[in-house]
């Protein structure tokens, strides 16, 4: 294994050295010649290489690289010693560069070579000594096996020779070479030509015989590869092509050609010797020979390269290599057919390479090269040699394959020029098949086909006649995968021409290279191997990677060629291999070629060739489905055709969800719509219609484009049916039916919600969602009508019962005005469509009318629902050999009448709605008589709870379509009801809410409104859960038969509101054993009826067998014990069946309720529900919702305890949806802005609801349910906070909450602290006024210390001002807090005096609440407040001065806060007192002035009654 790895390593080094690093070497030379000024300056002359070499090198006398390494190590050691001695170390980058040549980093090797060449050849201090030293080190370096030393030294030697010869410096190198360089096995003389000198130096440096001492086998191998690399360096340097032999007066051409031919022949002989030395040297030596020959042929400038080439081939290659077998034994025969059987792969490579370059004067060669080596006839003879190349480890291919591709292909320069930048970056020039090969009559296409068939299929993959004949080894399979990958256009590195990218025609790829048999053996079988035992095939990573690279290459080529033909050439054979190829192999090969990513929503630019490819692909799938389905026999499996149907559906769906980011996406959007309609029509025609009688004339009569498409599809299907075995099988039609409804749902959803972006760039104004959905469904309905008009016949014709057409409930309000029993379903649909057209035209005429717009939205939404129901009558029919019990659609035959009645009801509802709001008096009287919104709610709930909304195997994703249509209809109905509503009247009344609640499983009777009678009749949740209802089987059968008689929507109504009383059947096994035994004994003794038998199955066997142990009197018939066992099994089986039935009913009930939550969710999430809703009605909904949620939660908990998986998923989803409705959707309602239907009764209703919510919170078994109760209380408080600023309306609710706090703190209760915390956090002002005094009382009167701590924690939330100042009734809250200060401070004082509350945890909570309380205090203050604060401060300081160290650390902050607050209080009180004194003084001064004025007035009066002297007149 180690030897194998070393061999592959050296082969890779040779290949990389001679091809992959061409660009690196050229760049290195450019940098060395043009950027010499940036290279580090040369070292001082005293540290030059010549001085370092010295006498030591002369005495050594050998050229081993280890001596040079030791010399370099000594030099570095001297430098380190200088540095340690305190002197400046002298750097020598020239010597360091030799170590850089061994680096594994190509850039580092290139930089090291630049420094070395700059220093030794063309730098400012370049000299011959350093050049000679460099030459010797490089020759020795190619023999080193350390890291990448051989590769780096060979590349550097190549450039050294190139520069030295071009700069005429080789003579100086020879003159300055040491005497040891001339010693060795091979003679080196001064009179040799420079080419011979270089060869002799190389042979001496790489001859193991020149190494002294014992020699290792690895050293011999290193020297052999060193000689090989050295010869390649000479060849690649170009000195053979540019060498000039100087004559007397100049260049002597004859002498030059002779010398070049002689040296080239010598080098070729050296390579031939290496070739035959060891097998490990064959491939690299053959590669070197081919490189030498091509270099001479195409690179000689001073001599006739063709002549030299011919000389070497004739004198050396043919006799030494091509007339011997793989063991170097001579072969007498010169016939190619004989020699090709004994050649090894390397001999074949050399021969093919020579024949590839035959041209002009070299058109003929002696035998055996006079006949083509690579031919159709010779391929079977060479199969063994070519097969042996599988030992080469991938991804590297053997040399022979590079020569084969070069022989068959030619470089397409025009294709390279037209390639994109991405192609150029990926590398690889385009190579196409030759028109004519250089030798032989076989064309390149013929040889390639024979190569794939003979070598790849038969020998590598062991395939013959399309099937596997024997097992193939991993090596052979890996070689086959590599060859297929290269032939499919993946760029690869050729050891002869560099990067190649083969470009074969699409027909050759599909018919020869990428056939389904090859795909199955090379990819499909390998990738899926080991999936069962989870041990993957060893070649699986390689096969998966090959598929990925092929897909990338195909996409790249299609982009370059702007063509889609190639994509189908790859896709077709893959689908022929297995239609579920991607799914089974877990790859994305087909989708990758098609450009359909795994995330179709990803945005990108869509090219024209991709649209063309997708169109052709979908057409291919449709035609394949027709061809294969019509070829099926009666008992044949439909799995393969179903796979094509699935592919067509997935492809269309992925295209539908793509987004085009180009500047003009309109074209792609049109393509999306057309491709979806095409597939949709194909599915519809194939699944539901017998098109045998469809004619061409029928299509000509139709005017609509969609109708013509449907007729054309029908005619194609009819034609295929006639050529095959008739129409599609029933099983296949059922599959196509499911895909039709699924695709229809996807298309409608895409058109409805994705059309805004489609129309944003166009001038057309975007239409409403309802209109887009209606238009999409109308197209499909019109297509069905067109097909029937053209002669197509449904496989299943709807059957309507005459009795069902008449309304059984004659007193039904919502059926007034319906023309029952006389109209066909098509007439009803046309009537609805007429309403849609009328409302649409009216809306366009008066766009400003809110009422008309609302009617238009309702009409289009309801029309969409009616069309969706109409399409649900399309069925795939029944099989000829199928009985009714086996038909999945047999139960749906009676549903046609129910669907018709449902559509009739929808039309009646629409008629009723459209008459409302008009000016005539009849509409008003009709509105008072009935409520169309009630009928709409009931119809929507019935449809959501019906089997149509659950779907089946033939309807696919049709429930999604129905839900979207119901959503549009219900939203439209709510919108119109909102428009018609007023402050005194609304259509959203208690009956509508009751229907919605019953639809989700809640109790909608009475709506929880205040009524003594109803309260007395209400059943508690726990009582309802514990009620034992063991109804007999007869009752169950009666219920089921009654539901079946009611039809599809009747069965749904039976499920709605059905109590989950069957839970007790599931709970029987959970009772205690003793209780069960007693109950069983009582039941057995008192009741002879077996319908109510409730026995514990675990004890049943022993009970029945107890009687068998009694003594039997003589003469009596002996009792058989086996009968008791059989009876026990029978009863147990019956119990298990009843439990399974109950679980199935519960699961169905939960699923129906879950879907019906959509109606309530849409109602609660309206943007402006103020006008439509009534506050008392909405508040009354809380109790039924919470009770239902509690029941569902208990059911989920029981199922989880039993580890039951049946129905638990649906119930958990329902539980989460109910939680969202209560906490999120209901909490968003602005109840305070709504009006009440009976305002005078609302306070009492709010109190009753709040009381029931508190009671439900007590029974909560989870924190989530307690939070839901809290959310309900928050909604009630918010509904009152804005309506009353004096708080009088909250008095009753306040009593409820205060009693709740008292019960929570003094009695063992399940009330959670989170209930009050949520109230304080979300309705801070109102809840603070209500809960302040109860919480303060709880800090003292609580039954446990932890409750006291919780009370203080709640007070912390209460005293947080950031939750209070935002409330509209902040002044009321502030007044309540001011009035409660004294009580609060007394509570804090009492707590600080309580030894039990002095624990660190409790003290922290108290002090945190105290800090919040102190921070919330604001003026006005009372003198008592200051005294109480001072008392609290003294208590804190007493704690600080005490022995409790942990308490000391937490009181410091509170002391500081109270000190600051006392200052504020004192200042405020002083200021208030000063204001009082000033006011008193002002009052006193005012009174004095009034007395003076009164005295002056009195004097004036007296003076008027007296004389002038002041005497009083008598």
């Amino acid at each position: 294994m180690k030897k194998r790895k070393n061999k592959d390593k050296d082969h890779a080094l040779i290949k990389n050295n001679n091809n992959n690093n061409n660009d690196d070497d050229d760049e290195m030379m450019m940098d060395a010649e043009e950027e010499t000024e940036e290279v580090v300056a040369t070292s001082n002359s005293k540290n030059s290489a010549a001085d370092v070499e010295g006498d030591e090198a002369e005495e050594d006398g050998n050229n081993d690289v280890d001596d040079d390494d030791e010399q370099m190590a000594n030099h570095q050691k001297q430098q380190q010693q200088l540095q340690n001695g305190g002197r400046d170390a002298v750097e020598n980058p020239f010597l360091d560069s030799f170590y850089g040549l061994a680096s594994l980093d190509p850039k580092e090797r290139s930089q090291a070579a630049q420094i070395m060449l700059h220093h030794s050849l063309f730098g400012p201090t370049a000299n011959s000594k350093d050049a000679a030293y460099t030459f010797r080190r490089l020759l020795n370096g190619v023999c080193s096996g350390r890291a990448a030393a051989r590769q780096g030294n060979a590349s550097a030697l190549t450039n050294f020779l190139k520069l030295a010869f071009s700069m005429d410096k080789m003579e100086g190198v020879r003159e300055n070479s040491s005497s040891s360089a001339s010693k060795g096995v091979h003679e080196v003389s001064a009179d040799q030509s420079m080419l011979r000198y270089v060869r002799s130096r190389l042979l001496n440096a790489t001859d193991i015989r020149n190494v002294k001492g014992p020699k290792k086998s690895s050293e011999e191998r290193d020297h052999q590869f060193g000689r090989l690399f050295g010869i390649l360096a000479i060849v690649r340097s170009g000195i053979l092509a540019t060498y000039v032999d100087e004559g007397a007066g100049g260049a002597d051409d004859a002498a030059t050609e002779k010398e070049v031919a002689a040296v080239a022949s010598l080098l070729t002989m050296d390579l031939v010797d290496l070739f035959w030395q060891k097998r490990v040297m064959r491939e690299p030596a053959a590669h070197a020979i081919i490189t030498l020959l091509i270099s001479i042929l195409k690179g000689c400038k001073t001599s006739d390269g063709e002549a030299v080439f011919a000389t070497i081939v004739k004198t050396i290659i043919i006799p030494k290599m091509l007339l011997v077998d793989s063991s170097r034994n001579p072969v007498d025969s010169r016939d190619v057919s004989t020699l090709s059987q004994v050649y090894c792969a390397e001999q074949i490579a050399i021969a093919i390479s020579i024949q590839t370059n035959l041209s002009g004067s070299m058109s003929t060669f002696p035998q055996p090269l006079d006949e083509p080596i690579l031919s159709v006839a010779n391929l079977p003879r060479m199969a063994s040699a070519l097969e042996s190349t599988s030992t080469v480890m991938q991804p590297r291919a053997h040399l022979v394959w590079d020569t084969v591709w070069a022989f068959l292909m030619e470089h397409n320069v025009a294709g390279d020029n037209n390639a994109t930048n991405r192609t150029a970056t990926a590398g690889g020039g385009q190579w196409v098949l030759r028109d004519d090969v250089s030798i032989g009559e076989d064309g390149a296409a013929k040889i390639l086909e024979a190569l794939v068939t003979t070598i790849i299929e038969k020998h590598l993959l062991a395939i013959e006649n399309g099937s596997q004949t024997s097992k193939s080894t991993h090596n052979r399979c890996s070689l086959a995968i590599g060859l297929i990958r290269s032939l499919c256009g993946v760029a690869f590195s050729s050891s002869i021409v560099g990067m190649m990218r083969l470009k074969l025609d699409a027909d050759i790829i599909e018919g020869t290279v990428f056939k389904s048999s090859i795909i199955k053996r090379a990819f499909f079988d390998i990738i899926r191997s080991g999936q069962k035992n989870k041990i993957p095939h060893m070649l699986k990573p390689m096969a998966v990677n090959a598929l990925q690279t092929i897909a990338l290459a195909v996409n790249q080529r299609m982009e370059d060629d702007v063509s889609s033909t190639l994509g189908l050439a790859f896709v077709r054979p893959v689908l022929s291999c297995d239609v579920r190829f991607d799914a089974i192999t877990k790859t994305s090969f087909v989708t990758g070629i098609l450009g359909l990513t795994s995330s179709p929503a990803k945005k990108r630019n869509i090219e024209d060739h991709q649209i063309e490819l997708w169109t052709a692909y979908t057409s291919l799938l449709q035609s394949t489905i027709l061809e294969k389905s019509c070829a099926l026999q009666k008992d044949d499996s439909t799995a393969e055709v179903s796979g094509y149907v699935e592919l067509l559906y997935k492809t269309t769906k992925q295209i539908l969800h793509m987004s085009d980011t180009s500047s003009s996406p309109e074209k792609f959007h049109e393509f999306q719509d057309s491709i979806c309609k095409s597939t949709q029509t194909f599915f519809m025609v194939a699944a539901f219609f017998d098109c045998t009688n469809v004619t061409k004339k029928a299509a000509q009569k139709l005017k609509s484009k969609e109708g013509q498409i449907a007729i054309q599809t029908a005619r194609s299907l009819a034609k295929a049916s006639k050529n095959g075995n008739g129409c599609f099988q029933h099983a296949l039609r059922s599959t196509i039916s499911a895909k039709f409804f699924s695709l229809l749902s996807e298309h409608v959803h895409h058109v409805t919600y994705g059309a805004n972006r489609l129309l944003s760039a166009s001038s057309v104004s975007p239409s409403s969602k309802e209109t887009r959905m209606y238009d999409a469904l109308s197209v499909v309905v019109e297509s069905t009508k067109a097909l029937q008009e053209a002669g197509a016949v449904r496989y299943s014709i709807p059957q309507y019962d005459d009795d069902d057409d008449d309304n059984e409930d004659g007193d039904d309000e919502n059926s007034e005005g319906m023309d029952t029993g006389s109209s066909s379903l098509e007439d009803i649909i046309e009537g609805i469509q007429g309403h849609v057209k009328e409302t649409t035209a009216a809306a366009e005429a008066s766009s400003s009318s809110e009422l008309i717009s609302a009617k238009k939205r309702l009409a289009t939404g309801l029309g969409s629902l009616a069309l969706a129901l109409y399409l649900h009558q399309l069925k795939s029919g029944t099989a000829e050999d199928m009985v009714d019990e086996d038909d999945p659609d047999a139960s749906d035959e009676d549903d046609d009448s129910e669907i018709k009645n449902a559509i009739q009801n929808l039309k009646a509802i629409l008629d009723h709605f459209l008459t409302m709001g008009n000016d005539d008096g009849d509409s008003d009287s009709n509105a008072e008589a009935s409520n169309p919104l009630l009928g709409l709610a009931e119809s929507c709930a019935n449809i959501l709870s019906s089997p149509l909304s659950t779907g089946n195997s033939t309807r696919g994703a049709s429930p999604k379509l129905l839900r979207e249509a119901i959503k549009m209809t219900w939203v439209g109905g709510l919108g119109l009801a909102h428009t018609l509503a007023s402050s005194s009247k609304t259509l959203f009344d208690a009956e509508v809410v009751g229907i919605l609640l019953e639809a989700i499983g809640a109790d909608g009777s009475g709506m929880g409104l205040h009524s003594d009678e109803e309260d007395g009749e209400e059943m508690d949740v726990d009582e309802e859960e514990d009620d034992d209802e063991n109804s007999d089987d007869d009752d169950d059968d009666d219920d089921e038969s009654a539901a079946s008689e009611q039809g599809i929507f009747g069965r749904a109504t039976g499920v709605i509101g059905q109590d989950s009383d069957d839970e007790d059947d599931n709970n029987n096994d959970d009772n205690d054993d003793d209780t069960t035994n007693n109950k069983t004994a009582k039941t057995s003794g008192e009741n002879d009826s077996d319908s109510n038998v409730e026995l514990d199955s675990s004890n049943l066997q022993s009970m029945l067998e107890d009687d068998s142990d009694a003594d039997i009197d003589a003469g009596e018939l002996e009792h058989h014990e086996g009968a008791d066992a059989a009876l026990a099994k029978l009863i147990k089986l019956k119990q298990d069946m009843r439990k399974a039935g109950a679980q199935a009913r519960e699961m169905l009930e939960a699923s129906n309720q879950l879907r019906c939550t959509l109606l309530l969710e849409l109602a609660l999430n309206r943007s402006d529900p103020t006008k439509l809703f009534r506050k008392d009605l909405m508040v009354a909904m809380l109790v039924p919702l919470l009770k239902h949620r509690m029941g569902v939660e208990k059911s989920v908990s029981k199922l989880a305890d039993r580890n039951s998986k049946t129905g638990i998923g649906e119930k958990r989803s329902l539980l989460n949806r109910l939680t969202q409705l209560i906490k999120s959707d209901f909490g968003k309602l602005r109840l305070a802005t709504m009006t009440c239907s009976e305002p005078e009764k609302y306070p009492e209703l709010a109190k009753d609801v709040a009381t029931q919510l508190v009671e439900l919170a007590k029974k909560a078994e989870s924190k989530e349910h307690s939070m839901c109760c809290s959310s309900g209380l928050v909604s009630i408080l918010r509904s009152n906070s804005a309506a009353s600023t004096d708080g009088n309306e909250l008095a009753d609710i306040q009593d409820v909450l205060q009693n709740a706090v008292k019960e929570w703190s003094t009695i063992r209760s399940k009330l959670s602290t989170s209930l009050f915390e949520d109230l304080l956090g979300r309705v801070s002002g109102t809840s603070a006024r209500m809960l302040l005094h109860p919480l303060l009382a709880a800090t003292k009167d609580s039954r446990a210390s932890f409750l006291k701590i919780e009370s203080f924690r709640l007070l912390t939330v209460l005293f947080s001002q950031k939750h209070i100042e935002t409330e509209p009734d902040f002044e009321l809250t502030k007044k309540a807090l001011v009035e409660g200060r004294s009580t609060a401070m007394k509570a804090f004082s009492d707590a600080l005096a309580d030894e039990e509350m002095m624990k660190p945890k409790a003290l922290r909570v108290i002090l945190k609440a105290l800090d919040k309380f102190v921070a919330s205090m604001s003026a006005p203050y009372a003198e008592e407040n200051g005294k109480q604060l001072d008392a609290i401060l003294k208590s804190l300081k007493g704690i600080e001065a005490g022995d409790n160290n942990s308490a000391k650390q937490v009181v410091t902050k509170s002391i500081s806060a109270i000190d600051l607050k006392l200052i504020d209080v004192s200042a405020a009180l002083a200021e208030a007192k000063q204001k009082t004194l000033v006011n008193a003084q002002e009052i006193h001064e005012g009174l004095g002035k009034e007395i003076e004025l009164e005295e002056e007035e009195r004097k004036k009066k007296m003076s008027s009654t007296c004389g002038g002297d002041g005497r009083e007149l008598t």
Side-chain angles (χ1 to χ4, degrees), residues 723-906:
N723 296 333
N725 296 321
C727 60
F728 289 17
Q729 294 185 10
H730 176 261
L732 186 58
R733 295 202 305 267
S734 300
T735 302
I736 299 176
S737 172
K739 298 308 175 185
F740 165 75
F741 282 107
S742 297
L743 184 59
L744 178 62
S745 300
E746 292 290 339
H747 186 208
V748 170
H749 184 273
H750 174 75
V751 170
T752 303
Y753 297 100
N756 285 333
R757 64 172 177 80
L758 303 185
L759 298 173
S760 59
S762 63
S763 59
V764 182
S765 59
S767 56
S768 64
K769 296 178 181 178
E770 298 86 358
T771 303
R772 294 196 293 269
M773 175 182 284
Y774 176 79
D775 293 341
L777 292 173
S778 297
V779 170
V780 183
V781 173
E782 294 301 324
S783 298
T784 60
K785 294 180 181 179
L787 285 170
Q788 295 181 78
E789 292 175 3
V793 181
R794 288 190 185 184
Y795 287 117
S796 177
I797 301 176
Q799 301 293 332
Y800 306 115
D801 296 335
D802 295 337
D803 297 337
D804 291 339
D805 292 337
D806 298 329
N807 190 3
E808 297 178 359
D809 299 330
D811 56 347
D812 189 359
E813 303 174 319
N814 299 324
S815 63
E816 294 181 3
M818 287 195 308
D819 183 14
T820 60
S822 59
S823 301
S824 64
L825 182 59
E826 285 71 17
D827 294 336
I828 300 172
I829 292 295
E830 290 180 1
I832 295 176
Q833 291 176 331
H835 285 315
V836 174
K837 293 179 181 179
E838 292 174 2
T839 54
T840 303
E844 292 176 354
S846 57
S847 57
S848 60
S849 175
E850 183 180 356
L851 177 61
I852 296 178
S853 298
K855 289 183 178 180
K856 183 248 183 183
R857 286 193 296 271
L858 172 63
T860 52
L862 192 143
S864 300
L865 179 56
L867 294 179
L869 290 173
Y870 176 82
L871 290 175
H872 273 71
Q873 289 190 323
L874 296 174
K875 300 183 182 69
S876 56
T878 58
E880 293 76 6
D881 56 347
M882 183 179 294
V883 296
D884 292 344
E885 289 77 3
D886 299 331
D887 185 10
D889 292 332
S891 61
D892 296 338
E893 291 181 358
D894 297 333
D895 298 339
D896 293 333
S897 299
E898 296 298 326
I899 292 177
K900 179 181 177 182
N901 291 337
I903 297 176
Q904 280 182 323
N905 291 335
L906 290 176

Side-chain angles (χ1 to χ4, degrees), residues 97 99 185 439 488 692 794 925 985 1188 1214 1222 1395 1400 1513:
S97 64
Y99 282 92
V185 177
I439 185 173
C488 289
T692 307
R794 288 190 185 184
S925 61
K985 183 178 63 175
H1188 182 47
L1214 177 60
I1222 297 170
E1395 291 294 334
L1513 298 177

Side-chain angles (χ1 to χ4, degrees), residues 452-453 456-458 461 463 466 480-481 484 487 509 511-526 573 577:
V452 173
T453 304
I456 297 180
E457 285 193 77
K458 186 175 180 180
L461 297 177
I463 299 174
I481 293 173
I484 295 169
L487 289 171
I509 290 177
T512 302
V513 177
F514 211 65
K515 295 187 292 188
S516 58
S517 58
I518 294 178
I519 297 171
K520 184 178 185 304
R521 182 66 186 95
F523 300 103
F524 187 74
D525 292 345
I526 289 175
C577 173

Side-chain angles (χ1 to χ4, degrees), residues 16-79:
N16 292 334
N17 181 49
N18 291 278
N19 289 282
N20 292 349
N21 291 320
N22 288 338
D23 297 336
D24 293 340
D25 295 333
D26 294 340
E27 181 181 355
M28 179 182 68
M29 287 309 305
M30 292 176 61
D31 294 339
E33 294 175 355
E34 299 177 4
E35 301 180 6
T36 56
E37 66 277 0
E38 298 181 2
V39 181
V40 181
T42 186
S43 61
N44 295 331
S45 59
K46 63 180 180 180
N47 296 312
S48 65
D51 294 333
V52 173
E53 183 179 11
D55 297 334
E56 182 181 354
E58 295 180 0
E59 294 176 359
D60 190 11
N62 69 71
N63 298 325
D64 198 301
V65 71
D66 294 336
D67 295 338
D68 296 318
D69 292 340
E70 183 179 358
Q71 181 183 10
M72 182 62 68
N74 293 334
H75 177 69
Q76 290 183 343
K77 185 176 180 180
Q78 293 175 3
Q79 290 183 337

